[in-house]
Amino acid sequence: MKIRVNPTRMQLLRLKKRLVMSRRGHKLLKDKMEGLVQAFMELVGEYGKLRDEIDQKVPATLSMFMLASGISGEEAVTAALEETDTRLEVAINRKSVMSVAYPEVELEGFELRPSYSTLATSTDFDMASAGMRDVFPSLLELASKEEAVVRMADEIEKTRRRVNALEYVMIPSLKSTIKEISSKLEEAERSSRARLMKVKDMIM
């Protein structure tokens, strides 16, 4: 696809400058995309490890709650949960990886204050509560990393589209237009030279 401009030397110079800038921008974007992909793969690895860890801890904790329900009764466990006061403090920080910003949720305080009678529930309930308290920070970290993975994937896709637009549309269009204008200017110069030669011959 050619760019519609007047075939003048001024336009030719402008297009050549645009071609230089487009090539430079293409290289910078390509380097950025490679860096993003590398950081993305590292982040996905961290996310996968954390997800595997949580996939083991959460079912184990839920199993203890189910065991407590089986021993003490579902009503007793439900009542104990309702009578447990929870204090939760989180901080949301802004983190950036390769200029891609995402929120990082950090647990600053998590406290369970049981006000239920320990005689109404088994020790499995206490162990389940402790397990949930231990796994909760990992859940917040997992949520942060998942949001980072999603945002970085979006940025990689945007950068890839820009790289492709420059590589397959803009740069070829500029090169084609420059070639066409150069050809027309050379043809005009040859015609002008031929006319000058004719005038010179007539004068001679």
Side-chain angles (χ1 to χ4, degrees), residues 150-162:
V150 170
R151 293 193 182 190
M152 194 165 289
D154 288 342
E155 186 64 24
I156 289 172
E157 180 60 23
K158 289 177 186 177
T159 307
R160 185 188 65 80
R161 285 200 297 267
R162 290 172 187 159

Side-chain angles (χ1 to χ4, degrees), residues 3 5 9-10 22 29-31 48-49 76 84 117 125 133 137 140 149 153 155 159 162 172:
I3 301 171
V5 292
R9 293 194 179 279
M10 183 66 70
S22 296
L29 283 172
K30 206 165 184 180
D31 291 344
K49 289 179 181 177
T84 300
S117 172
F125 180 82
R133 183 175 58 246
L140 292 179
V149 166
E155 186 64 24
T159 307
R162 290 172 187 159

Side-chain angles (χ1 to χ4, degrees), residues 56-169:
Q56 292 177 3
K57 287 184 176 180
V58 171
T61 302
L62 294 177
S63 295
M64 283 188 283
F65 274 117
M66 290 179 66
L67 185 60
S69 297
I71 295 173
S72 305
E74 187 175 345
E75 292 182 0
V77 170
T78 302
L81 287 171
E82 291 175 351
E83 293 172 7
T84 300
D85 295 329
T86 305
R87 186 184 66 82
L88 178 65
E89 292 181 4
V90 296
I92 301 177
N93 303 313
R94 183 180 180 275
K95 198 169 181 181
S96 179
V97 177
M98 290 293 294
S99 301
V100 179
Y102 65 93
E104 183 182 55
V105 185
E106 184 179 352
L107 184 65
E108 291 190 337
F110 184 39
E111 185 179 351
L112 294 175
R113 297 175 182 174
S115 55
Y116 57 88
S117 172
T118 55
L119 297 175
T121 57
S122 66
T123 55
D124 296 295
F125 180 82
D126 298 329
M127 291 173 64
S129 299
M132 185 57 68
R133 183 175 58 246
D134 292 339
V135 80
F136 200 78
S138 298
L139 288 171
L140 292 179
E141 186 181 356
L142 183 70
S144 299
K145 288 192 181 298
E146 186 169 339
E147 181 64 21
V149 166
V150 170
R151 293 193 182 190
M152 194 165 289
D154 288 342
E155 186 64 24
I156 289 172
E157 180 60 23
K158 289 177 186 177
T159 307
R160 185 188 65 80
R161 285 200 297 267
R162 290 172 187 159
V163 168
N164 288 343
L166 284 170
E167 186 171 349
Y168 299 110
V169 180

Side-chain angles (χ1 to χ4, degrees), residues 3-4 16 21 42 55 58 76 80 112-113 127-128 150 186 188 194 198:
I3 301 171
R4 293 183 179 180
K16 285 182 176 180
M21 293 299 294
E42 291 176 2
D55 284 345
V58 171
L112 294 175
R113 297 175 182 174
M127 291 173 64
V150 170
E186 288 172 3
K198 284 183 180 181

